[in-house]
Amino acid sequence: MAILSKEDYIREKDELNFHNYRYHTLEQPLIADAEFDRLLAELREIETAHPDWVAPDSPTQRVGSVLSDKFARVSHPRPVLSLANAFDAEDIRAWFDRIKKIDPDIDRDGFVMEAKIDGLTVVLTYENGNLTRGVTRGNGLVGEDITANIRTIRSVPLKIPLDSADSEIPQTLVVRGEVFIENDDFEELNETLIRNGEKTYLNPRNTASGSLRQLNPAVTASRPLKILIYQILDASDENAIPQSQNERCRYLARLGFPTLKESQFCATIGDVIANISAWKKIRETLRFDIDGVVIKVNNLSRAQALGFVGKDPRGAIALKFPARETITKLIDIGINVGRTGVLTPYAIMEAVEVGGVVVRQATLHNFDFIRDRDIRIGDDILIKRAGDVIPYVVASIGDKRDGSQTPYDPPACCPSCGEPVEAIPGEVAVYCINSRCPAQLVRNVEHFASRGAMEIEGLGIKIVEQLCSSGLVADYADLYQLTANQLLELPGFAEKKAENLIASITATKTRPLSRLINALGIRNVGEINAVSLAARFGSLGNLSAAAQDELTEIDGVGSTMAEAIVDWFANERNRRILEKLIASGVNPTQEIQTSEPLSSDLPLAGKTVVVTGTLQNFSREEIKALIRRNGGKTSESVSARTAFVIAGDKAGSKRDKAAKLAIPILSESDFLNDYPDLR
Ligand code: IVH
């Protein structure tokens, strides 16, 4: 390392303290978390080489955030320790070798892998089963008394045990857990804050922290905070509690504490290492952020006997995942025109790696967001990838401006067709209302051909663009009038390709009615509603004649959607497109249910099903539609609420998770045999 002098060390230490202040006190970070971690690791390395340099105000000399004067200070009964970090399997192996040397039997009772929740540590004290205190971690020795706020978190038990399962509980029990906010709740909260003209939060972790440290518990109560408990910090009678991590978690759950479902026992360190990649996949399916996985020696007395290095116990280690937040430069703002005409701004950025993926674009949500956050072209911006794959802009780092940045003016005209744009009262979105807008046409045709709609094989976005720009397709009904000869005129089409495309378009003429309804692209009507509409009305003719109040009778159809449906069928141009579709021989198969059976009588009523892997007889959309038609719900992630999992070929982590939670796993044929009455 190129550190030369003590002055360099002091500069680096001061810089870290400054960033700490920017993040925790001002809530205006200038660098991404990963960059902070990197600098901190560097500082630690220097301190190891020069222990005599270590300054009392070095960020390595304390744990967590600055204690504020807002809350009373409380000493923890035992130090609230942190965790050393590992970054790959090799680091885990090295950790294991170190502790195995100290205690050759350290792995006798295996290991536990747990999700590392990206939240905020709290310490809860129960006296005779009653919650008496809730404290932040503070500096690890002394924390802030936030009992009134903790009591507002609905999943925190105010009294344990919940039932009489464990009547013999220690007189004093101190547990540790993590308070956090789920990603969707975070987005929703920020939207509400924007609507009320209040300051928004940067990320879910920051929100959980800000919400917990409110002086008014009523504000905390209004925030969607969750908690998961993963450790017993202290108990007045150690013998009354289990001695291994996995048993302790089960014990905590029996007492009524919310505990991690994302927890896995591994008999050997080899199993731990083999499971790392599965954990990275689990990360993508969770509704909250995890920044890694914690690996804990299961035998807790052996773990404790290993001792500590600084504030990190030797008996556990955090395997950190790549950060999904980073800073890059905003080069320009582009605009997407969606199929309903909605204009969505997106950031065009200097390419940057975030969470292991190189990205160049990120969504900017809407024009209000750009204005409210004062995001300017040329700014450094903080971007994040959450559970899904589309990255989004969190904030601009305004302090880095040098005067060359330019504020952004939302467009008055559609970037595709040049027609003036319109705002709809009560909506944040801005629309292009030109029904002949070329960008909308492309999106409409793309949607019409997509997997959840008519599923036209071989018709991807590139060909859709060709068909639209050549003028061969002016609406999606034109697809059915295309000839192979016309296609041959287009670049890239040879005879075989042209014939195949015509054949696959023709094959969709008899797709089920629900798919056609979805394909029409009526605003707000998606796959699920299309299934209910097809089931209720049985034909396009009936649906087009439906009155608004008939539509709102359907489960899931509100007045906005009903109005959109009525308006769509009233539109002269849409009527002509429909006529053209029918004249071209589009004749959907009927899913006749003139009188809809009670949904509670359906074979899958009340059941949530997860489908994973490739099936033989159904596409993903088809099996989902089948499940919904039969009263069930589908979900993308396995949880305790999952009734069963249908696993096809190459099923992976979802199948494993179901096995772990003892949720039935059915093959495609098991499913069809078990439910012979599916409609
Ligand atoms: S165990 C001695 N387990 O990660 C025990 N910590 O970077 C140390 N965290 O301060 C903690 N999920 O705030 C543990 N399942 C989990 C965790 C977890 C999140 C946090 C905790 C800790 C930080 C260390």
Side-chain angles (χ1 to χ4, degrees):
M1 184 184 317
I3 284 290
L4 303 169
S5 67
K6 188 166 176 186
E7 281 64 47
D8 289 330
Y9 164 72
I10 291 172
R11 201 172 320 113
E12 191 143 344
K13 172 210 73 181
D14 288 345
E15 191 186 333
L16 273 162
N17 279 338
F18 168 68
H19 287 307
N20 210 39
Y21 168 75
R22 294 284 316 198
Y23 186 93
H24 288 289
T25 309
L26 300 184
E27 298 185 353
Q28 290 168 346
L30 291 177
I31 57 174
D33 291 0
E35 177 65 3
F36 184 89
D37 289 349
R38 195 186 62 73
L39 290 173
L40 191 64
E42 221 169 84
L43 197 76
R44 271 215 183 94
E45 222 175 290
I46 306 169
E47 290 181 346
T48 318
H50 301 276
D52 53 318
W53 288 1
V54 178
D57 70 335
S58 163
T60 60
Q61 298 304 298
R62 63 164 170 190
V63 193
S65 58
V66 190
L67 289 172
S68 83
D69 299 328
K70 289 204 292 194
F71 300 97
R73 294 178 183 197
V74 182
S75 294
H76 295 302
R78 289 197 189 176
V80 183
L81 298 168
S82 187
L83 287 172
N85 289 334
F87 296 95
D88 51 27
E90 219 174 285
D91 293 347
I92 298 299
R93 179 64 73 181
W95 165 71
F96 173 70
D97 292 345
R98 281 196 303 276
I99 60 174
K100 180 95 174 161
K101 237 186 232 158
I102 303 175
D103 176 355
D105 264 346
I106 197 66
D107 49 348
R108 208 181 56 184
D109 299 321
F111 300 88
V112 175
M113 294 178 92
E114 285 175 10
K116 182 170 178 326
I117 312 150
D118 197 9
L120 210 82
T121 293
V122 292
V123 175
L124 312 181
T125 302
Y126 288 81
E127 304 275 359
N128 297 317
N130 294 305
L131 173 69
T132 52
R133 200 171 252 175
V135 182
T136 65
R137 177 181 180 199
N139 62 16
L141 300 173
V142 177
E144 297 160 316
D145 187 338
I146 51 161
T147 311
N149 292 347
I150 288 287
R151 292 176 71 89
T152 69
I153 302 175
R154 287 179 185 77
S155 52
V156 167
L158 299 178
K159 193 169 174 49
I160 52 164
L162 266 190
D163 56 34
S164 54
D166 277 272
S167 44
E168 290 298 311
I169 55 161
Q171 195 188 356
T172 305
L173 184 70
V174 185
V175 298
R176 171 182 183 174
E178 204 81 355
V179 172
F180 63 99
I181 287 189
E182 291 185 357
N183 293 326
D184 285 355
D185 290 337
F186 161 72
E187 297 271 318
E188 206 173 297
L189 175 64
N190 260 358
E191 275 162 27
T192 313
L193 292 174
I194 289 179
R195 269 201 302 279
N196 299 342
E198 290 174 55
K199 194 171 159 245
T200 52
Y201 287 106
L202 284 182
N203 54 36
R205 183 173 193 283
N206 188 278
T207 317
S209 160
S211 304
L212 256 192
R213 297 170 79 251
Q214 293 281 340
L215 281 178
N216 179 359
V219 177
T220 313
S222 73
R223 300 287 164 82
L225 295 172
K226 303 247 154 84
I227 192 169
L228 289 168
I229 305 292
Y230 52 76
Q231 195 191 6
I232 295 179
L233 195 67
D234 197 22
S236 51
D237 181 0
E238 286 273 347
N239 295 327
I241 59 174
Q243 297 304 313
S244 64
Q245 175 65 11
N246 58 353
E247 282 167 21
R248 270 197 191 172
C249 288
R250 281 198 287 271
Y251 171 73
L252 285 166
R254 278 205 307 279
L255 295 186
F257 288 104
T259 53
L260 271 166
K261 286 186 189 64
E262 291 71 28
S263 154
Q264 179 180 31
F265 172 78
C266 292
T268 67
I269 197 71
D271 291 350
V272 167
I273 289 169
N275 280 319
I276 292 175
S277 55
W279 275 90
K280 289 190 176 156
K281 290 201 189 106
I282 291 176
R283 180 194 203 188
E284 304 296 330
T285 66
L286 295 178
R287 289 198 299 234
F288 52 88
D289 281 350
I290 66 174
D291 57 345
V293 44
V294 186
I295 298 152
K296 302 180 175 178
V297 167
N298 193 27
N299 183 321
L300 293 172
S301 44
R302 284 183 182 278
Q304 204 180 345
L306 289 173
F308 320 96
V309 184
K311 57 184 173 50
D312 305 331
R314 284 201 179 86
I317 194 160
L319 173 70
K320 297 272 278 203
F321 292 154
R324 295 199 294 194
E325 211 179 65
T326 192
I327 289 172
T328 183
K329 197 170 280 303
L330 178 64
I331 301 171
D332 202 359
I333 292 177
I335 296 171
N336 254 321
V337 183
R339 72 183 158 87
T340 56
V342 66
L343 268 56
T344 310
Y346 64 92
I348 302 169
M349 317 173 300
E350 268 177 18
V352 66
E353 192 189 311
V354 52
V357 179
V358 174
V359 296
R360 289 181 177 79
Q361 294 187 353
T363 178
L364 277 160
H365 313 287
N366 54 57
F367 297 108
D368 284 6
F369 178 83
I370 301 175
R371 187 197 56 211
D372 294 342
R373 307 272 171 130
D374 186 22
I375 293 170
R376 303 185 190 182
I377 293 168
D379 269 350
D380 278 359
I381 49 171
L382 183 66
I383 63 160
K384 185 168 173 130
R385 261 182 72 231
D388 45 21
V389 284
I390 305 166
Y392 60 90
V393 176
V394 180
S396 88
I397 313 289
D399 302 53
K400 289 269 184 90
R401 285 185 187 143
D402 60 8
S404 68
Q405 289 72 16
T406 48
Y408 175 77
D409 285 325
C413 297
C414 170
S416 173
C417 66
E419 293 287 313
V421 296
E422 269 195 21
I424 294 183
E427 280 191 41
V428 190
V430 174
Y431 289 90
C432 165
I433 51 155
N434 171 15
S435 57
R436 295 182 189 280
C437 169
Q440 284 181 59
L441 173 63
V442 169
R443 295 282 160 231
N444 259 304
V445 177
E446 183 192 20
H447 170 73
F448 186 86
S450 67
R451 279 179 68 189
M454 298 300 260
E455 197 167 7
I456 303 177
E457 217 176 296
L459 186 51
I461 181 72
K462 285 271 160 330
I463 298 180
V464 170
E465 279 169 353
Q466 266 185 311
L467 293 174
C468 295
S469 64
S470 66
L472 284 177
V473 167
D475 57 54
Y476 44 63
D478 287 342
L479 290 171
Y480 295 97
Q481 290 170 359
L482 287 171
T483 64
N485 279 341
Q486 285 175 320
L487 294 180
L488 284 172
E489 305 276 309
L490 301 174
F493 271 92
E495 218 151 282
K496 187 91 189 125
K497 183 170 165 185
E499 275 166 16
N500 284 349
L501 184 57
I502 299 294
S504 63
I505 293 174
T506 310
T508 65
K509 287 184 178 174
T510 51
R511 286 273 192 253
L513 178 62
S514 58
R515 279 171 170 263
L516 179 59
I517 294 174
N518 178 26
L520 296 177
I522 304 170
R523 191 176 291 177
N524 299 322
V525 176
E527 245 178 284
I528 298 177
N529 307 114
V531 172
S532 323
L533 291 167
R536 168 70 178 78
F537 293 100
S539 75
L540 272 188
N542 289 344
L543 176 61
S544 68
Q548 207 165 316
D549 49 1
E550 278 177 274
L551 290 162
T552 47
E553 276 169 19
I554 299 172
D555 217 16
V557 179
S559 57
T560 315
M561 195 193 305
E563 202 180 314
I565 296 169
V566 171
D567 285 355
W568 195 92
F569 284 103
N571 179 297
E572 195 49 43
R573 180 161 184 261
N574 292 337
R575 284 188 168 276
R576 279 204 304 276
I577 295 174
L578 273 185
E579 280 164 18
K580 219 153 78 179
L581 281 173
I582 292 160
S584 323
V586 173
N587 184 17
T589 43
Q590 305 283 307
E591 295 153 299
I592 310 164
Q593 275 96 44
T594 33
S595 66
E596 210 181 348
L598 280 177
S599 56
S600 58
D601 290 334
L602 295 172
L604 296 174
K607 291 194 161 59
T608 301
V609 182
V610 173
V611 184
T612 178
T614 314
L615 305 182
Q616 300 299 318
N617 299 304
F618 304 94
S619 74
R620 192 49 62 85
E621 277 64 37
E622 282 164 352
I623 187 103
K624 283 186 180 171
L626 179 77
I627 292 165
R628 285 192 295 264
R629 207 162 51 237
N630 286 282
K633 285 201 181 108
T634 59
S635 164
E636 289 306 317
S637 58
V638 177
S639 75
R641 286 187 295 274
T642 309
F644 57 88
V645 171
I646 304 174
D649 274 345
K650 301 210 178 74
S653 63
K654 291 182 194 175
R655 185 200 172 102
D656 298 346
K657 184 158 177 206
K660 217 174 74 191
L661 297 176
I663 287 164
I665 302 169
L666 310 187
S667 69
E668 193 175 340
S669 52
D670 291 342
F671 169 60
L672 296 174
N673 288 335
D674 288 2
Y675 295 94
D677 297 322
L678 294 178
R679 306 175 309 140

